[in-house]
Amino acid sequence: MANERFLVKGGARLSGQVRVSGAKNSVLKLMGAALLAEGTTVLTNCPAIDDVPLMQKVLEGLGCTVEREGDVVRITTPAELSPRADFEAVRQFRASVCVLGPLTARCKKAIVALPGGDAIGSRPLDMHQSGLEQLGARTYINHGCVVAEAEHLTGAHIKLDFPSVGATENILTAAVLADGRTVLDNAAREPEIVDLCDMLVAMGARISGAGSNTITVDGVAELRPTRHEVVGDRIVAGTWAYAAAMTGGDVTVGGISPSHLHLALEKLKNAGAQVETYAAGFRVRMEGRASAVNYQTLPFPGFPTDLQPMAIALASVSEGVSVLTENVFESRFRFVDEMIRLGTDATVDGHHVMIRGKRRLSSAPVWSSDIRAGAGLVLAGLCTEPGDVTEVHDVFHIDRGYPDFVETLTSLGADIERVQ
């Protein structure tokens, strides 16, 4: 609920074990991909986050039947879909634009309200539109909606200006039903892209090169529904890893391939943490205070922009001076203003921020501007003076991306309470 807040007590040391569920940045796109095949697609390992029922509303508005039970989501897609994703369903979260590619491929037309979501900077749809146009669609913005129309989609050689995850996903989900071969250069390489390609292949698509800069798609006439397990959430896993380091803790995280967080874990090693990796998890231990480390966010396999708030929070209590450069979203440093309220010694210069670490932060009321900023503020609240209470407001953002956030932190030894 929008008026809920968290009360976070300082002085905690986190220790224990957690298991992450499926990735927010994957499950919503997989739900959208279910539009490509008539019949019932089943997704397992789905996270209990608020964005999943929001995506359910989008799909139901298009004519699908969606059932959720535990971590299983069943999506039954009819032979005839509505091509219109309305404003009321779409406005609340950015990932809803992922229905643009599937609707263009299945319905020959898509009308998708321009989406809302996090306040981390503008994310225009130029590359989405350009990619669909190169496949033969006509696209335009009309009355607050992006419209794509295509009597016929034909494979093309497409090069992205930037390895955009969203554009890569929409182009892939349109190209799988296009005639001929599509080659996508400078494609996004994120594990969530590989997860989407794995599901599409299971549906009958012909895709090679997932996880590399160049993805090749040979179009097929139709796809079939499938059953697919959602890949583990590397951002949630990384959040718990940085929480362990910030609090001098010892946390083991399961349900995730450590290769999906290679650079983030290397940065923790550089900061002085002991990191052990396993086939499907890792352990992070920090004795004493972390050392300052520099970061720059980049598309995968670079340091994830979604872990930037956690890196800033860790730098705030590290020994020495850290410089963090944000290369992905221009407004992500709004988070720094809230960290300064907690006592962080930070100087912002364009897309760089310099942080002089302190041993402890100080409590204050702070406001979440997006999912990851909210999580970073909670972790910072754990690093205030013992007994100090930090109020984190607008926590509905956190609920959009973190299942059982309060319960997980409590199980690791944090003193955190959700209140009206």
Side-chain angles (χ1 to χ4, degrees):
M1 293 174 63
N3 60 345
E4 289 183 333
R5 66 190 192 280
F6 293 157
L7 304 181
V8 186
K9 277 193 180 175
R13 176 185 180 271
L14 301 188
S15 66
Q17 298 184 354
V18 297
R19 181 176 178 83
V20 298
S21 53
K24 168 194 178 293
N25 290 338
S26 196
V27 66
L28 306 174
K29 321 304 176 62
L30 301 176
M31 291 175 72
L35 294 168
L36 289 164
E38 181 184 349
T40 301
T41 293
V42 180
L43 300 176
T44 63
N45 196 35
C46 297
I49 56 174
D50 285 356
D51 271 11
V52 169
L54 289 177
M55 191 65 183
Q56 175 180 345
K57 286 183 181 178
V58 172
L59 296 183
E60 288 172 342
L62 298 171
C64 297
T65 301
V66 183
E67 301 170 275
R68 289 185 293 126
E69 184 178 345
D71 71 346
V72 178
V73 175
R74 290 180 178 82
I75 302 159
T76 302
T77 302
E80 296 292 328
L81 284 166
S82 165
R84 180 182 289 275
D86 284 325
F87 174 75
E88 193 55 40
V90 166
R91 69 182 176 86
Q92 299 179 68
F93 67 123
R94 177 73 191 184
S96 54
V97 78
C98 71
V99 301
L100 183 63
L103 288 178
T104 305
R106 274 292 306 278
C107 304
K108 309 306 179 191
K109 183 172 186 177
I111 306 164
V112 181
L114 292 171
D118 294 331
I120 56 177
S122 64
R123 295 189 273 187
L125 300 180
D126 300 4
M127 284 187 284
H128 302 243
Q129 292 178 254
S130 173
L132 292 177
E133 286 170 0
Q134 290 176 71
L135 292 173
R138 172 175 171 255
T139 76
Y140 53 96
I141 304 294
N142 186 43
H143 298 300
C145 294
V146 58
V147 181
E149 299 170 322
E151 280 305 308
H152 194 73
L153 293 177
T154 306
H157 195 132
I158 300 169
K159 182 167 184 178
L160 294 178
D161 295 335
F162 177 84
S164 159
V165 172
T168 298
E169 290 161 344
N170 267 325
I171 293 167
L172 281 175
T173 51
V176 289
L177 292 180
D179 284 342
R181 171 169 289 186
T182 298
V183 177
L184 182 57
D185 279 334
N186 202 24
R189 300 168 58 187
E190 273 72 3
E192 296 79 16
I193 294 290
V194 177
D195 197 31
L196 174 62
C197 289
D198 286 347
M199 175 170 149
L200 291 172
V201 167
M203 295 171 76
R206 298 171 61 196
I207 301 172
S208 61
S212 74
N213 290 324
T214 302
I215 301 177
T216 302
V217 182
D218 288 302
V220 297
E222 64 178 9
L223 298 178
R224 59 184 177 270
T226 190
R227 185 182 182 93
H228 181 80
E229 180 178 336
V230 183
V231 71
D233 197 316
R234 63 194 171 100
I235 305 302
V236 173
T239 300
W240 306 138
Y242 275 70
M246 289 173 64
T247 63
D250 181 353
V251 176
T252 300
V253 181
I256 182 74
S257 169
S259 65
H260 295 171
L261 278 169
H262 175 74
L263 187 54
L265 294 176
E266 283 297 310
K267 290 291 185 183
L268 289 181
K269 289 181 186 176
N270 296 342
Q274 296 172 275
V275 180
E276 301 171 38
T277 58
Y278 315 110
F282 57 83
R283 180 182 181 186
V284 174
R285 287 177 287 170
M286 179 69 83
E287 295 178 8
R289 191 175 167 199
S291 301
V293 176
N294 295 333
Y295 302 84
Q296 60 171 326
T297 66
L298 288 167
F300 191 85
F303 190 84
T305 183
D306 278 356
L307 285 180
Q308 184 244 79
M310 293 22 127
I312 289 176
L314 175 60
S316 298
V317 293
S318 295
E319 190 166 359
V321 176
S322 303
V323 176
L324 194 142
T325 303
E326 174 57 54
N327 293 306
V328 181
F329 292 129
E330 73 275 11
S331 295
R332 200 136 217 178
F333 284 155
R334 289 178 57 171
F335 166 75
V336 177
D337 292 336
E338 297 304 303
M339 286 295 297
I340 290 171
R341 293 171 61 84
L342 294 175
T344 293
D345 185 348
T347 304
V348 176
D349 180 9
H351 63 126
H352 309 281
V353 59
M354 183 174 69
I355 299 168
R356 298 170 185 82
K358 296 180 174 181
R359 190 169 292 277
R360 286 280 180 192
L361 299 175
S362 54
S363 61
V366 288
W367 279 261
S368 309
S369 57
D370 66 77
I371 297 169
R372 312 305 172 185
L377 291 170
V378 170
L379 301 193
L382 299 174
C383 299
T384 60
E385 293 292 338
D388 276 9
V389 177
T390 298
E391 288 190 15
V392 182
H393 294 259
D394 290 348
V395 300
F396 65 91
H397 286 297
I398 300 172
D399 295 332
R400 288 183 44 224
Y402 289 88
D404 303 320
F405 186 75
V406 169
E407 293 80 0
T408 302
L409 278 172
T410 301
S411 75
L412 294 174
D415 190 337
I416 176 172
E417 182 184 3
R418 182 191 295 266
V419 297
Q420 292 294 324

